[in-house]
Amino acid sequence: MENSNQLANRFKEVLLKGKWIANTNFKDQLSNVTWQQATNRIGSLNTIAALTYHINYYIAGVLNVFEGGPLEIRDKYSFDLPEIKSKEDWDSLLNSMWDNADKFANHIELMSDEKLESIFVEEKYGNYRRNIEGIIEHSYYHLGQISLIKKMIKESEKL
């Protein structure tokens, strides 16, 4: 079974520094996206900003549990992105995401095998490992969307 360091590295791989699975990561994909591009809606697709907020929402919510707090996040609020009206707003969202991702990875690294296998908040949510793996898998899903939306925006800017 995967230990906490391997799990933390998988998390960092999709969020902060990896290229092994998708040849990219969130930080790489978002580093050169302007706030205008991040808020540009292509048809009925979510915006890059909304998807970024969505992933950060779940990371922050699970991180709160890691830090001893309650599980307060709810799916119905996971796309309630505050309006992005400036570079500062976009940078603030990105900085929040990188900070939360760093803290999240650090918590994973410190987890014992017993903690990884213990119940996460309530039995219906499974164990810590399942929730961490869920965040990783969910992040890859939306990373793919962001990559495609970014390509679509870049193509539309050429017109």
Side-chain angles (χ1 to χ4, degrees), residues 73-97:
I73 55 176
R74 300 293 176 264
D75 291 345
K76 66 181 178 179
Y77 302 122
S78 67
F79 280 103
D80 287 356
L81 168 71
E83 193 172 356
I84 304 282
K85 299 181 197 175
S86 67
K87 179 184 184 319
E88 292 74 26
D89 292 343
W90 176 233
D91 287 346
S92 177
L93 175 56
L94 291 177
N95 290 334
S96 171
M97 182 134 160

Side-chain angles (χ1 to χ4, degrees), residues 8-150:
N9 285 336
R10 283 186 50 226
F11 175 80
K12 288 187 262 188
E13 182 85 22
V14 65
L15 268 295
L16 301 169
K17 64 180 176 113
K19 297 214 183 233
W20 187 64
I21 299 289
N23 200 35
T24 191
N25 59 70
F26 270 85
K27 199 165 200 177
D28 185 47
Q29 281 298 304
L30 298 176
S31 66
N32 61 355
V33 171
T34 67
W35 73 271
Q36 294 94 338
Q37 291 168 328
T39 57
N40 186 350
R41 182 171 301 281
I42 302 288
S44 63
L45 301 177
N46 285 308
T47 64
I48 290 172
L51 293 167
T52 302
Y53 175 85
H54 179 72
I55 290 299
N56 189 45
Y57 179 83
Y58 284 105
I59 292 170
V62 173
L63 177 61
N64 190 55
V65 174
F66 289 177
E67 293 177 340
L71 181 63
E72 299 173 322
I73 55 176
R74 300 293 176 264
D75 291 345
K76 66 181 178 179
Y77 302 122
S78 67
F79 280 103
D80 287 356
L81 168 71
E83 193 172 356
I84 304 282
K85 299 181 197 175
S86 67
K87 179 184 184 319
E88 292 74 26
D89 292 343
W90 176 233
D91 287 346
S92 177
L93 175 56
L94 291 177
N95 290 334
S96 171
M97 182 134 160
W98 311 146
D99 185 53
N100 286 335
D102 279 331
K103 289 177 187 173
F104 194 96
N106 289 337
H107 276 281
I108 298 170
E109 287 172 345
L110 297 174
M111 286 185 189
S112 66
D113 287 343
E114 293 77 24
K115 181 69 169 183
L116 287 171
E117 301 310 321
S118 68
I119 298 218
F120 181 81
V121 182
E122 295 179 38
E123 197 166 337
K124 68 181 179 180
Y125 297 124
N127 60 26
Y128 276 77
R129 179 186 306 280
R130 179 173 187 240
N131 281 270
I132 294 164
E133 288 173 344
I135 293 265
I136 293 166
E137 292 164 11
H138 186 220
S139 296
Y140 273 116
Y141 172 76
H142 288 304
L143 176 60
Q145 291 178 321
I146 287 171
S147 297
L148 290 172
I149 293 167
K150 185 176 169 184

